[in-house]
Amino acid sequence: MSEFTKIAKNNLIRENQILVQVLGICSTLAVTNNLRNTAIMATGVTLVTGLSNLTVSLFKDYIPRKVRMMVETLIIAFYVIIVDIVLRAYLPDVSKALGPYVGLIITNCIIMGRAEAFAQANNPVISLWDGLTAGAGYSLVLLIVASIRELLGFGTLFNIHIMPKSFTPFTIMVMAPSAFFIVAILIWIAKSSSFKAGEKK
Amino acid sequence: MNREGRVYTITFSFIATFVFVLILALLNAATVQKIQENEQLFKVKAIMKAFGIEYDDKQALQTFEKYVKVTTLDGKELYYTLFGTEKLYGIVFGGSGLWSNISGFLAVDENVERIVGIEFISQAETPGLGGRIEEEWFKKQFRSEKLLNGAITLQTGGSGDYDHENGKVDAITGATQTSRALINIINDHLVILRNLLEVRK
């Protein structure tokens, strides 16, 4: 198995940022009651993780150890602001829909986590790939959580009505606590299947 | 040169920050005009939507200039338009939501007996909860809503109150505080409008 496929597999499933490393939980709880918003957030995080990984990896030999985390934050903030400015200038509608999310991307721990754990020690190309796939793993979990919450909380998917009229929406699904339950159940499933895989070996 | 030394660390931090911020400043300068135009256009569209004026996306500005007039009264910009034989008035409102500033446009009839419509210009409430004030179903509750005792009241438990004669709107499930704050802002601005237009209750 090539290094690229191995990284992709690890990031998507075996070492999924949310399910296994339990990173990026804040946005998983906050922005998953509506699929459209979740998709926008997931795209933003994936892009910024990839690009910040690339940049950190390019400069890793020049960054003094003492200030490396500050420099990483600077790079992450740099990309997030670029995304924000470009959206506001050329895609104002998307920018309006994103609203406060763009700022939230900076605080996502996955981005910093990948910069620290991977980009500091690997070459730029593979770091970019690692960032993008880590973001994809995050997006995968977020979209699963969001589809459960939107379907049960509003009876819709991507704002399109799915459930019959007689369906009573679960108010709890709209609120952040429901994401705790769903993420916990997903972690449970992921953990027990990885244990089973371990026993077979 | 010693990469961990004080001089290198300070020089590196300085140069890195300078370069990244310089790029952002240049990007900002290059797009600031476009962003302002977008914001102006967005405001113009919000005003026309609140008044119920139909417009073509490409000719929004021309339509606005043709139908909507603005005068300054007591230091406040009062917008007005002729709608059939009726004269409609409106002001830009602003105030604190749950944790962000909510601004938008409030349109009323000549005697401030009915709200014609509301539209939002900017808000940063929790996406998926308070942020849902921007959704069509919520704003539709205010369309030609008759005021009771000169104000609008909030009720909880429903999912949209489309009886436009009762002066009531439903709060957003899970975002009662934002809804309440918004109703207060609107009621305050109804008073301002009434004073501007010198209409007695």
Side-chain angles (χ1 to χ4, degrees), chain A residues 31-44 93-99 101 142-143 146-147 150 154 156-160, chain B residues 123 127-128 131-132 134-135:
Chain A
V31 300
T32 49
N33 64 6
N34 180 306
L35 265 172
R36 196 194 62 150
N37 292 347
T38 309
I40 294 172
M41 182 71 179
T43 318
D93 293 334
V94 178
S95 166
K96 279 280 168 194
L98 270 163
Y101 289 107
L142 238 67
L143 290 172
S147 30
E150 194 182 333
F154 297 117
T156 60
L157 283 178
F158 283 106
N159 292 335
I160 299 162
Chain B
Q123 58 91 7
R132 298 182 69 211
E134 287 205 39
E135 288 180 10

Side-chain angles (χ1 to χ4, degrees), chain A residues 50-159:
Chain A
L51 291 173
S52 65
N53 251 10
L54 173 72
T55 317
V56 170
S57 177
L58 279 172
F59 292 115
K60 65 176 186 294
D61 295 336
Y62 307 99
I63 303 174
R65 301 287 300 163
K66 273 183 235 162
V67 292
R68 68 176 199 287
M69 292 189 95
M70 277 191 270
V71 175
E72 283 161 13
T73 315
L74 175 73
I75 293 169
I76 295 165
F78 171 75
Y79 280 113
V80 173
I81 296 171
I82 287 187
V83 170
D84 188 35
I85 291 179
V86 169
L87 286 180
R88 278 200 290 167
Y90 300 104
L91 295 164
D93 293 334
V94 178
S95 166
K96 279 280 168 194
L98 270 163
Y101 289 107
V102 184
L104 272 178
I105 298 174
I106 301 183
T107 60
N108 195 309
C109 8
I110 295 174
I111 306 175
M112 189 73 152
R114 290 333 284 170
E116 270 286 290
F118 198 93
Q120 285 285 356
N122 290 283
N123 72 52
V125 180
I126 202 142
S127 295
L128 173 69
W129 177 248
D130 176 76
L132 292 176
T133 49
Y138 164 85
S139 311
L140 181 73
V141 177
L142 238 67
L143 290 172
I144 295 174
V145 177
S147 30
I148 299 173
R149 288 182 67 187
E150 194 182 333
L151 190 65
L152 296 180
F154 297 117
T156 60
L157 283 178
F158 283 106
N159 292 335

Side-chain angles (χ1 to χ4, degrees), chain B residues 26-58:
Chain B
L26 291 176
L27 192 66
N28 187 46
T31 54
V32 71
Q33 208 182 344
K34 182 110 182 114
I35 290 173
Q36 272 170 358
E37 277 169 24
N38 285 341
E39 277 167 7
Q40 180 61 25
L41 193 65
F42 192 83
K43 184 177 159 189
V44 159
K45 283 183 184 169
I47 292 174
M48 286 196 286
K49 264 191 246 164
F51 275 137
I53 300 171
E54 282 180 17
Y55 60 89
D56 185 65
D57 239 6
K58 285 192 188 108

Side-chain angles (χ1 to χ4, degrees), chain A residues 8-53:
Chain A
K9 262 198 176 157
N10 276 348
N11 276 332
L12 280 172
I13 300 159
R14 288 188 43 212
E15 287 169 16
N16 187 289
Q17 301 296 319
I18 297 176
L19 299 181
V20 181
Q21 311 205 27
V22 200
L23 286 177
I25 290 297
C26 354
S27 51
T28 315
L29 301 180
V31 300
T32 49
N33 64 6
N34 180 306
L35 265 172
R36 196 194 62 150
N37 292 347
T38 309
I40 294 172
M41 182 71 179
T43 318
V45 169
T46 307
L47 277 178
V48 173
T49 315
L51 291 173
S52 65
N53 251 10

Side-chain angles (χ1 to χ4, degrees), chain B:
Chain B
M1 193 177 178
N2 178 11
R3 287 252 160 81
E4 298 305 319
R6 198 171 289 167
V7 178
Y8 180 83
T9 307
I10 293 173
T11 321
F12 179 88
S13 310
F14 184 81
I15 294 174
T17 315
F18 184 83
V19 171
F20 280 116
V21 176
L22 182 72
I23 298 172
L24 286 182
L26 291 176
L27 192 66
N28 187 46
T31 54
V32 71
Q33 208 182 344
K34 182 110 182 114
I35 290 173
Q36 272 170 358
E37 277 169 24
N38 285 341
E39 277 167 7
Q40 180 61 25
L41 193 65
F42 192 83
K43 184 177 159 189
V44 159
K45 283 183 184 169
I47 292 174
M48 286 196 286
K49 264 191 246 164
F51 275 137
I53 300 171
E54 282 180 17
Y55 60 89
D56 185 65
D57 239 6
K58 285 192 188 108
Q59 289 171 336
L61 266 178
Q62 287 90 321
T63 318
F64 179 80
E65 276 160 15
K66 194 169 156 198
Y67 292 106
V68 182
K69 301 279 179 294
V70 54
T71 66
T72 311
L73 270 181
D74 290 345
K76 289 209 159 48
E77 283 187 336
L78 181 70
Y79 295 84
Y80 61 94
T81 184
L82 264 179
F83 196 78
T85 56
E86 219 184 349
K87 219 171 178 187
L88 305 178
Y89 294 88
I91 46 169
V92 172
F93 67 78
S96 314
L98 180 58
W99 35 51
S100 74
N101 198 50
I102 300 178
S103 79
F105 188 79
L106 169 70
V108 294
D109 68 355
E110 207 169 356
N111 301 317
V112 201
E113 283 168 347
R114 266 176 203 279
I115 289 181
V116 172
I118 62 164
E119 277 299 324
F120 297 96
I121 296 169
S122 75
Q123 58 91 7
E125 294 296 301
T126 323
L129 291 172
R132 298 182 69 211
I133 51 173
E134 287 205 39
E135 288 180 10
E136 248 358 278
W137 71 268
F138 183 75
K139 292 185 295 193
K140 228 164 64 187
Q141 300 187 93
F142 294 87
R143 266 281 148 226
S144 68
E145 181 80 19
K146 192 167 166 54
L147 297 168
L148 278 192
N149 300 323
I152 198 154
T153 44
L154 190 74
Q155 54 188 9
T156 51
S159 58
D161 178 292
Y162 301 115
D163 177 355
H164 295 302
E165 300 298 323
N166 65 0
K168 287 178 182 161
V169 292
D170 278 343
I172 294 167
T173 309
T176 313
Q177 293 305 322
T178 298
S179 315
R180 188 163 294 148
L182 175 68
I183 297 300
N184 287 341
I185 298 171
I186 290 180
N187 283 335
D188 289 349
H189 284 80
L190 284 171
V191 174
I192 295 174
L193 266 168
R194 221 171 264 127
N195 288 340
L196 285 178
L197 299 169
E198 294 176 346
V199 179
R200 284 175 191 276
K201 224 188 249 181

